[in-house]
């Protein structure tokens, strides 16, 4: 229940994080992120430079006041200098405020864009991708990793320029004031940089560990809640709690380690500022006494010194933030760049409307994994327009897989499936999915109202349309008996409804979609006998003017259909109506005799 996708990415990344700091790929991605906001970025940069310059002027004004007015005792003009000091300081604050607003806006917009891109990609990546991922890790990717990227984009670009400019300008001003004193101060720099680099490295590692543990914790929480029925019914809460405690402890320890290291940053900076100040007081003080420098210059230096280490610390923080983001960026890029084998292949050829609706499976073979045996084997089947075809077969014969291929949740390994002569991969997905409505074996309902769940396949459908579909699906009386009828809010994954009730809602959902082809995969399997009989009775009406592919075990369902096709171990064994199959297909006869295809109410679907 742990690690998986997320930690896999972390491990892959471990050896690479230092070298991949500024790869062209990463830079291109950052550039793309802010490409739509070039104007805001340019304004932010101008504002940043104004803030930098204005912020560094006041000590020079103070120096002028001390050296040219206070020490010689000339009060005239002092007020003007004081006003200038105030204006510069006020201007610096004004621009600092706007710089923050602008950079936050740019960063948050960029992050919202990435989140959107990721969500889009994840919604479109094929089942084979999702089956290999843990939901918690994907949630962590969309939330935490994108969040880590946010800091790098928000503070990164403008922050880097602002701090570098501040540092360089400050050194230049100080050098102009007194080169000797400046070089004296700069001499302390290598020690400070080395200390910061060493500490930074450990902090980065600690934070990476925190994020990995967090992802594992996320996965564990999500899986336990998603599988709460299993956990409770097996009575394994204690074991799960213990597992949680272990991961949580790991997370705590990693967090504490990171905090201890972070706590060292402030004393370290204070120590370096203190050392610098002590040196300046001693060396600079002597210079003042020997009149090598003026008191004004000395005071200006002291003021600059207080500001000197801040941009350095910012740059080091920024470096950490960027590296932290890099680990996330890697994971995000890997998902964004995962090729989608189900993507529309060649040039799209929108089907001429109205569709005839002929579906042809031509020599279709399919295996879930390259190394596994074919689940469908050279299967050819034609669904004529308006035809209702039943699919029968033993458990595991490949019936649901056939439906999944038709819905293009997966593509055949070999062979093709065409709709009106056009291969499915060339049909725009919206058009393909408008063509069919599905009632799957395992119904998924969202934590929304019953009405919203029914309207899921046709957003914006009116309440009347929703109710009409529910009536058609025999779901109306069940829904009106719920506490708030159609407005009853369901729990996550439809909690609060029985399996049969969920299937009724899925039926209504499919009918509201009003698609020309209805795919039912054991759609009545969870209903009780009475309800199922009602749905059965109205099935032929439901199927009026529609083609249908109906996977069923129930003889009464299959008998209503135009044709029954029997699948035996992934191969098409026979097709025909019930009577002819009983005569011609030994396998079908066996299915009926062994009650796999059954008229008894206990059988599924
Ligand atoms: N996601 C998957 N990954 C790997 N193998 C799978 C997957 N889904 C199904 N299979 C395998 O493919 C085979 C056919 O499964 P499928 O669900 O199509 O059978 P079915 O005929 O619909 O069975 P049932 O009547 O029990 O629903 C089974 O052996 C099953 O184990």
């Amino acid at each position: 229940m742990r690690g998986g996708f997320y930690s896999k990415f972390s491990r892959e990344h471990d050896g690479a994080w230092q070298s991949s700091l500024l790869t062209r790929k990463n830079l291109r991605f950052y550039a793309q992120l802010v490409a739509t906001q070039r104007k805001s970025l340019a304004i932010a940069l101008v504002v940043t430079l104004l803030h930098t310059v204005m912020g560094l002027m006041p000590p020079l004004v103070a120096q002028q006041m001390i050296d040219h007015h206070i020490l010689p005792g000339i009060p005239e003009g002092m007020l003007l200098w004081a006003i200038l000091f105030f204006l510069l300081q006020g201007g610096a604050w004004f621009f600092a405020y706007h710089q923050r607003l602008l950079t936050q806006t740019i960063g948050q917009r960029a992050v919202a864009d990435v989140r959107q891109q990721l969500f889009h990609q994840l919604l479109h990546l094929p089942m084979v991708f999702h089956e290999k991922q843990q939901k918690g890790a994907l949630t962590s990717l969309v939330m935490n990793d994108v969040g880590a990227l946010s800091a790098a984009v928000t503070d990164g670009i403008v922050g880097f320029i602002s701090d570098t400019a501040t540092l360089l300008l400050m050194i230049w001003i100080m050098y102009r004031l007194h080169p000797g004193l400046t070089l004296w101060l700069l001499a302390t720099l290598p020690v400070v940089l080395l200390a910061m680099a060493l500490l930074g490295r450990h902090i980065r590692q600690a934070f990476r560990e925190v994020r990995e543990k967090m992802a594992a914790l996320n996965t564990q929480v999500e899986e336990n809640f998603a599988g709460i029925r299993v956990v409770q019914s097996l009575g394994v809460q204690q074991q799960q709690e213990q597992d949680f405690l272990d991961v949580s402890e790991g997370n705590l320890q990693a967090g504490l380690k990171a905090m201890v290291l972070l706590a060292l940053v402030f004393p370290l900076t204070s120590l370096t500022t203190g050392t610098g100040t002590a040196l300046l007081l001693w060396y600079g003080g002597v210079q003042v006494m020997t009149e090598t420098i003026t008191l004004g210059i000395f005071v200006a230096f002291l003021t600059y010194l207080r500001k000197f280490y801040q941009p350095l610390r910012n740059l080091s923080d920024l470096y950490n933030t960027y590296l932290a983001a890099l680990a996330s960026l890697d994971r995000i890029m890997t998902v964004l760049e995962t090729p989608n084998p189900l993507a529309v292949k060649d040039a799209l050829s929108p089907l001429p409307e109205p569709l005839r609706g002929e579906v042809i499976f031509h020599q279709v073979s399919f295996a879930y994994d390259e190394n596994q045996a074919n689940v469908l084997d050279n299967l050819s089947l034609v669904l004529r327009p308006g035809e209702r075809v039943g699919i029968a077969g033993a458990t595991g014969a490949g019936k649901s897989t056939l439906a999944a291929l038709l819905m293009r949740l997966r593509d055949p390994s070999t062979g093709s499936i065409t709709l009106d002569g056009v291969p499915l991969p060339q049909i725009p997905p919206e058009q393909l999915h408008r063509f069919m409505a599905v009632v799957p074996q395992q119904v998924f309902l969202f934590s929304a109202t019953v009405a919203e769940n029914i309207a899921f396949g046709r957003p914006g459908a009116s309440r009347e349309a929703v109710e009409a579909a529910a009536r058609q699906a025999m779901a109306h009386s069940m829904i009106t008996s719920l506490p708030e009828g159609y407005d009853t809010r369901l729990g996550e994954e439809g909690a609060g409804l029985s399996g049969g009730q969920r299937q009724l809602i899925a039926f209504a959902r499919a009918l509201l979609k009003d698609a020309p082809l209805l795919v039912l995969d054991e759609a009545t399997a969870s209903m009780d006998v009475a309800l199922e009989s009602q749905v059965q009775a109205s099935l032929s009406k439901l199927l009026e003017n529609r083609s249908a592919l109906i996977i069923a075990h129930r003889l009464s369902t299959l008998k209503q259909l135009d044709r029954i096709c029997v699948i035996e171990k992934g191969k098409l064994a026979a097709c025909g109506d019930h009577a002819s199959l009983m005569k011609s297909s030994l396998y079908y006869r066996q299915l009926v005799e062994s009650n796999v295809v059954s008229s008894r109410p206990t059988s599924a679907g």
Side-chain angles (χ1 to χ4, degrees):
M1 282 206 176
R2 289 175 211 162
F5 171 71
Y6 194 99
S7 53
K8 171 177 153 266
F9 279 80
S10 302
R11 281 200 301 276
E12 274 172 6
H13 189 69
D14 270 357
W17 61 271
Q18 274 172 315
S19 55
S20 58
L21 178 62
L22 285 177
T23 61
R24 213 184 286 165
K25 195 171 90 175
N26 289 349
L27 287 179
R28 201 174 340 116
F29 185 74
Y30 272 115
Q32 270 171 14
L33 270 183
V34 288
T36 50
Q37 305 184 68
R38 266 189 233 114
K39 212 164 122 195
S40 306
L41 199 61
I43 298 174
L45 287 179
V46 172
V47 167
T48 300
L49 290 178
L50 285 171
H51 155 63
T52 306
V53 172
M54 285 197 167
L56 290 178
M57 290 299 120
L60 288 181
V61 174
Q63 181 243 325
Q64 290 295 321
M65 289 172 83
I66 295 170
D67 288 347
H68 301 294
H69 295 274
I70 300 173
L71 290 180
I74 306 170
E76 293 81 28
M78 285 273 285
L79 182 63
L80 280 180
W81 281 113
I83 292 173
L84 182 62
F85 187 99
F86 171 77
L87 288 178
L88 286 168
Q89 197 70 63
W93 285 334
F94 175 81
F95 287 120
Y97 169 74
H98 284 283
Q99 176 197 335
R100 184 127 199 95
L101 280 192
L102 279 164
T103 50
Q104 287 292 329
T105 313
I106 293 169
Q108 293 194 17
R109 249 195 218 134
V111 164
D113 278 357
V114 181
R115 211 166 252 149
Q116 193 68 36
Q117 278 179 40
L118 253 186
F119 191 61
H120 172 89
Q121 171 79 339
L122 287 170
L123 282 187
H124 287 84
L125 279 174
M127 296 308 295
V128 56
F129 171 87
H130 284 281
E131 279 163 359
K132 287 186 181 146
Q133 314 305 336
Q134 287 159 330
K135 304 286 167 274
L138 289 185
T139 312
S140 193
L141 181 78
V142 177
M143 304 313 294
N144 302 344
D145 283 307
V146 175
L149 201 61
S150 152
V153 179
T154 313
D155 301 325
I157 303 162
V158 177
F160 176 75
I161 293 171
S162 155
D163 289 315
T164 313
T166 306
L167 206 61
L168 293 178
L169 191 61
M170 201 165 2
I171 293 175
W172 182 75
I173 294 173
M174 291 199 296
Y175 192 80
R176 292 298 302 261
L177 286 175
H178 195 277
L181 212 49
T182 309
L183 294 176
W184 183 248
L185 281 180
L186 287 181
T188 62
L189 216 57
V191 184
V192 179
L193 288 180
L194 190 69
M196 280 185 175
L198 281 178
L199 195 60
R201 190 189 166 96
H202 285 102
I203 290 176
R204 276 194 307 278
Q205 277 167 353
F207 270 110
R208 200 162 55 240
E209 212 175 310
V210 171
R211 275 198 315 282
E212 282 172 26
K213 300 274 190 239
M214 197 51 156
L217 211 56
N218 237 8
T219 299
Q220 197 151 6
V221 171
E222 287 223 6
E223 287 195 347
N224 269 288
F225 291 157
I228 189 75
R229 268 165 184 265
V230 181
V231 171
Q232 291 196 350
S233 58
L234 292 178
V236 290
Q237 290 96 328
Q238 209 177 346
Q239 178 57 44
Q240 292 307 101
E241 270 182 61
Q242 188 54 48
D243 283 357
F244 184 79
L245 193 69
D246 292 346
V247 184
S248 178
E249 185 60 28
N251 182 44
L252 178 71
Q253 292 306 331
L256 287 178
K257 193 168 137 198
M259 285 309 123
V260 167
L261 289 168
L262 259 192
L264 280 175
V265 170
F266 183 69
L268 180 77
T269 346
S270 304
L271 189 71
T272 47
T273 318
T275 314
T277 313
L279 282 173
L280 182 67
L281 283 172
W282 168 61
Y283 179 77
V286 173
Q287 303 291 308
V288 174
M289 281 183 255
T290 56
E291 297 190 356
T292 317
I293 58 168
T294 64
L295 184 66
I297 292 181
F298 178 67
V299 172
F301 259 84
L302 273 179
T303 319
Y304 282 130
L305 190 69
R306 274 208 355 254
K307 293 173 181 265
F308 189 65
Y309 294 104
Q310 188 58 44
L312 269 183
R313 205 169 68 199
N314 290 349
L315 283 174
S316 135
D317 283 352
L318 215 60
Y319 181 66
N320 291 341
T321 314
Y322 183 66
L323 286 178
L326 212 61
S328 297
L329 183 65
D330 240 18
R331 278 185 285 273
I332 291 170
M333 300 267 280
T334 307
V335 170
L336 287 180
E337 289 176 354
T338 299
N340 186 350
L342 292 187
V344 174
K345 296 238 165 66
D346 306 309
L348 295 183
S349 30
L351 298 170
E353 306 243 14
L355 291 171
R356 282 189 305 116
E358 184 188 52
V359 177
I360 300 179
F361 288 78
H362 180 66
Q363 297 179 347
V364 167
S365 294
F366 175 79
Y368 278 96
D369 207 301
E370 283 165 11
N371 310 320
Q372 283 177 3
N374 278 347
V375 169
L376 293 179
D377 196 5
N378 204 21
L379 184 144
S380 294
L381 175 68
V382 178
L383 270 173
R384 293 177 210 108
E387 194 182 24
R388 281 86 46 97
V389 176
I391 303 287
T395 290
K399 306 181 294 293
S400 299
T401 306
L402 186 78
L405 295 189
L406 175 59
M407 290 180 263
R408 232 192 139 224
L409 295 178
R410 307 170 191 279
D411 276 341
S413 316
T414 56
S416 68
I417 306 171
T418 56
L419 170 59
D420 285 356
V422 181
L424 298 193
Q426 289 174 25
I427 300 174
E430 325 74 67
Q431 197 175 23
L432 180 65
H433 290 113
R434 247 194 345 255
F435 170 67
M436 59 185 101
V438 184
V439 183
Q441 215 169 4
Q442 280 165 353
V443 176
F444 186 93
L445 299 180
F446 291 88
S447 46
T449 65
V450 170
E452 284 163 349
N453 265 293
I454 294 177
F456 191 72
R458 222 179 96 192
S462 69
R463 175 56 67 93
E464 291 72 42
V466 167
E467 280 195 31
R471 275 178 208 282
Q472 246 193 325
M474 301 284 155
H476 182 71
S477 60
M478 179 279 284
I479 295 171
T480 47
S481 69
L482 293 172
E484 289 175 62
Y486 283 85
D487 295 316
T488 307
R489 190 157 275 281
L490 302 179
E492 204 170 337
E493 297 186 22
L497 293 182
S498 72
Q501 290 172 329
R502 281 179 220 188
Q503 280 197 318
L504 280 185
I505 293 190
F507 240 100
R509 183 190 271 170
L511 289 175
L512 179 64
K513 201 176 167 196
D514 198 21
L517 174 72
L518 198 57
V519 180
L520 307 184
D521 188 353
E522 300 182 37
T524 56
S526 309
M527 294 178 191
D528 66 26
V529 182
L531 187 59
E532 195 192 357
S533 314
Q534 281 182 43
V535 174
Q536 297 282 351
S538 54
L539 194 63
S540 51
K541 194 161 176 299
L542 296 180
L543 297 179
E544 260 171 29
N545 306 322
R546 286 191 177 96
S547 320
L549 185 78
I550 300 183
I551 298 170
H553 289 288
R554 186 59 61 91
L555 205 52
S556 53
T557 307
L558 292 171
K559 274 182 173 170
Q560 293 187 36
L561 307 176
D562 301 318
R563 213 155 41 112
I564 304 169
C565 288
V566 191
I567 297 187
E568 182 183 4
K569 292 187 187 148
K571 288 187 197 299
L572 190 64
C575 282
D577 60 26
H578 174 69
S580 68
L581 283 175
M582 284 302 278
K583 279 190 213 133
S584 64
S585 168
L586 174 66
Y587 182 63
Y588 183 73
R589 229 170 24 242
Q590 283 170 349
L591 288 180
V592 175
E593 280 160 11
S594 60
N595 277 324
V596 172
V597 169
S598 153
S599 50
R600 288 206 316 211
T602 43
S603 101

